[in-house]
Every structure is written in structure tokens, then in C-alpha cells.
């Protein structure tokens, strides 16, 4: 008899446990939304304070990129932006989480040689943005974008066989092309581009950087010539397309080797 009583109590316990699980709320913060099932690799980004999830997927019928925006509170889709197909090209769209601060809530999508921006705060898309370069590039190369990242207030990227490019994102919805201060066409056919980017909150100060991409290891990095922003300029009359250039800060001069992307030291 005691075994029957124990078995009855256990059944009641597990029955109560199951009933409790069924009654658990599944809305709001406790609801788990699965946005990853349609997402491309690295194609999902959550903006928590906006309660939005942005997912980049592929439209199988049209072979193009589709950006779907969801409300993370109720898992409902609230917007969808379709990007043009590439035609015969094998290029695909990818997502770069480019900037996330108090001023902008932007996500970038790039494919082939073009870039599109989605502003989650304003719920609108812009583009395409087309990279520009200081010197003409060969028309025979496609310039497919291989990397795209944020660097402070700038969108910095690298295109195959064309090199580095930069967009200024300080003005919302008005990304502006930033051309290099100097450039050098290396003997191997690659381009070395030096950018002087003004920094926020430091008047007349710039960061001197070289965006760099290694095709063999598929690694992207930004080389800073100085540890902190400096009041640097190119003296008037400087040849911008040269193997060496001189940066000036007051009475000080710094010689830059454009081939090695480094400062020349005595």
C-alpha cells in the first residue's frame, strides 16, 4: 500500500510540474524568437534598446539579398528590404555591423561593389553607396568588396584589386566619400592608401591610418601611424601619388613610406 501511495504522490508532483511549464508566459522578454533559421552566415544583428533584430537572408526565387526586420518583443516581422540581384555574377550579399552608438543605429549590407545602409531607428534603407578612389582603377577588375567594418565615425572597407575606401558617417543618412590624403600604386599591382580622418571632440586633430587586407589569410586591419590623434597636414604642393610623403605638425615633419605603410625613422 505504501508503494502505491508513493507512486501516486510522484505522479501528482510531475503533473503539477508539467502544468506549471505550460502556464509559463511566452510573450515579452520570456518569449524566445528564432530568427536564425533564414539568416545567412553572420547575417543577424540585434539592437537591444530598439527591440529589433535585423536578419539578412537570401531570396531563393530571385537570388538576391533580403533584409528582414523583426520586433524582438513579439517576434513579428515589421519590415523587409530587398536588394537587387547580381545577374550572372556569383557575388553574394553579406552583413557588416557597422555602427551602434547613441547617434545612429545603422547596419550595412554589401555585395559585389556596392553597399546599402539600413537605419533601424528611422526604419529606412539608403544606397547603393559606391566606393571611390584617389586614382583611376583598371576597368578590367570588378572591385568586389571583401571586408567592411566601422572605425569610429567611419565606414572602412576593402575591395578586391582596388584597395581601401572610406565613407564618413557623421551626418546621418548622408554618408560621404572620403578620399585618401595620399596613395601609392605598388609594383605588385596593389594600392596603398593613407587616410587622414578627423576625430570627434578634438579640433584640428586627425588619425593617420592605412586600411590593410591580406587575401591569403582573409584578415583585415587598420594600421594607425600614431598612438593618438595629431594635428597633421600635408604641406601644400605635396605629391599625393608617391612612394613617400611628408606629414607636418607645426615645425615637426614625419616621412611616411607608402610601400611599407610605416614611418621612416632615422
Amino acid at each position: 500500500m505504501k508503494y502505491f501511495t508513493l507512486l501516486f504522490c510522484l505522479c501528482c508532483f510531475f503533473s503539477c510540474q508539467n502544468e506549471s511549464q505550460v502556464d509559463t508566459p511566452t510573450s515579452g522578454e520570456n518569449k524566445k524568437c528564432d530568427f536564425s533559421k533564414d539568416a545567412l552566415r553572420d547575417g543577424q544583428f540585434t539592437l537591444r534598446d530598439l527591440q529589433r533584430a535585423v536578419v539578412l537572408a537570401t531570396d531563393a526565387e530571385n537570388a538576391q539579398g533580403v533584409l528582414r526586420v523583426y520586433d524582438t518583443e513579439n517576434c513579428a516581422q515589421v519590415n523587409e528590404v530587398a536588394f537587387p540581384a547580381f545577374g550572372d555574377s556569383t557575388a553574394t550579399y553579406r552583413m557588416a555591423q557597422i555602427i551602434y552608438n547613441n547617434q545612429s543605429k545603422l547596419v550595412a549590407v554589401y555585395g559585389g561593389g556596392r553597399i546599402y545602409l539600413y537605419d533601424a531607428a528611422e526604419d529606412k534603407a539608403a544606397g547603393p553607396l559606391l566606393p571611390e578612389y584617389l586614382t583611376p582603377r583598371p576597368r578590367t577588375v570588378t572591385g568586389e568588396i571583401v571586408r567592411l567594418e566601422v572605425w569610429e565615425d567611419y565606414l572602412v572597407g576593402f575591395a578586391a584589386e582596388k584597395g581601401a575606401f572610406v565613407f564618413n558617417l557623421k551626418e546621418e543618412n548622408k554618408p560621404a566619400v572620403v578620399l585618401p590624403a595620399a596613395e601609392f600604386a605598388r609594383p605588385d599591382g596593389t594600392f596603398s592608401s593613407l587616410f587622414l580622418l578627423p576625430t570627434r571632440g578634438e579640433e584640428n586633430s586627425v588619425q593617420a591610418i592605412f586600411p590593410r587586407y591580406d587575401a591569403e589569410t582573409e584578415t583585415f586591419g587598420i594600421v594607425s601611424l600614431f598612438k593618438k590623434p595629431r594635428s597633421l597636414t600635408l604641406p601644400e604642393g605635396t605629391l599625393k601619388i608617391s612612394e613617400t610623403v611628408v606629414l607636418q605638425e607645426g615645425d615637426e615633419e614625419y616621412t611616411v613610406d607608402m610601400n611599407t605603410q610605416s614611418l621612416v625613422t632615422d
Side-chain angles (χ1 to χ4, degrees):
M1 181 67 179
K2 63 180 181 179
Y3 293 109
F4 175 79
T5 303
L6 176 62
L7 180 62
F8 176 77
C9 292
L10 288 173
C11 290
C12 291
F13 173 77
F14 285 114
S15 175
C16 292
Q17 286 293 95
N18 290 335
E19 183 177 354
S20 175
Q21 291 175 3
V22 171
D23 290 340
T24 299
T26 58
S27 61
E29 294 184 357
N30 293 322
K31 187 175 182 64
K32 294 183 178 180
C33 310
D34 182 12
F35 304 123
S36 61
K37 58 182 179 180
D38 296 327
L40 296 174
R41 182 172 62 90
D42 300 325
Q44 183 175 335
F45 185 42
T46 301
L47 299 104
R48 299 188 184 281
D49 57 339
L50 294 180
Q51 297 178 346
R52 290 290 184 267
V54 184
V55 175
L56 178 64
T58 298
D59 185 330
E61 181 178 352
N62 298 312
Q64 64 183 5
V66 176
L67 198 67
R68 298 190 176 102
V69 185
Y70 297 89
D71 186 325
T72 57
E73 281 289 288
N74 56 27
C75 305
Q77 182 174 326
V78 296
N79 200 358
E80 181 173 294
V81 180
F83 304 110
F86 292 106
D88 296 333
S89 172
T90 58
T92 57
Y93 284 104
R94 298 183 66 183
M95 178 188 289
Q97 300 171 10
I98 64 170
I99 191 165
Y100 188 53
N101 58 30
N102 294 329
Q103 292 194 346
S104 299
K105 300 293 185 293
L106 298 175
V107 175
V109 173
Y110 64 99
R114 54 201 181 206
I115 304 166
Y116 294 88
L117 298 178
Y118 176 75
D119 188 329
E122 298 294 329
D123 198 23
K124 63 175 64 174
L129 306 179
L130 303 177
E132 295 182 21
Y133 307 92
L134 184 62
T135 56
R137 300 304 196 246
R139 295 183 179 180
T140 55
V141 299
T142 60
E144 180 175 350
I145 298 171
V146 292
R147 286 300 292 268
L148 189 67
E149 295 185 2
V150 65
W151 194 83
E152 296 187 354
D153 292 316
Y154 300 90
L155 180 63
V156 182
F158 203 95
E161 301 179 282
K162 288 190 174 182
F165 60 87
V166 173
F167 287 91
N168 187 335
L169 298 175
K170 288 183 179 179
E171 292 190 32
E172 293 186 17
N173 301 319
K174 293 182 180 180
V177 170
V178 179
L179 292 177
E183 192 168 78
F184 175 64
R186 293 189 177 108
D188 63 2
T190 62
F191 294 87
S192 175
S193 302
L194 171 64
F195 293 86
L196 299 181
L197 304 181
T199 56
R200 177 173 297 191
E202 298 190 47
E203 190 175 357
N204 298 324
S205 293
V206 300
Q207 287 277 13
I209 68 165
F210 285 100
R212 181 185 295 173
Y213 179 75
D214 188 325
E216 291 186 2
T217 60
E218 297 184 348
T219 55
F220 178 76
I222 295 175
V223 178
S224 297
L225 289 180
F226 302 93
K227 293 183 179 180
K228 60 182 182 179
R230 311 283 287 265
S231 299
L232 301 167
T233 59
L234 259 71
E236 286 190 31
T238 298
L239 182 63
K240 294 185 177 182
I241 305 170
S242 176
E243 188 171 356
T244 60
V245 295
V246 174
L247 298 177
Q248 194 166 13
E249 183 181 33
D251 295 331
E252 293 288 330
E253 291 187 345
Y254 304 93
T255 301
V256 181
D257 186 325
M258 295 292 294
N259 188 32
T260 62
Q261 299 182 337
S262 61
L263 292 172
V264 177
T265 57
D266 296 332

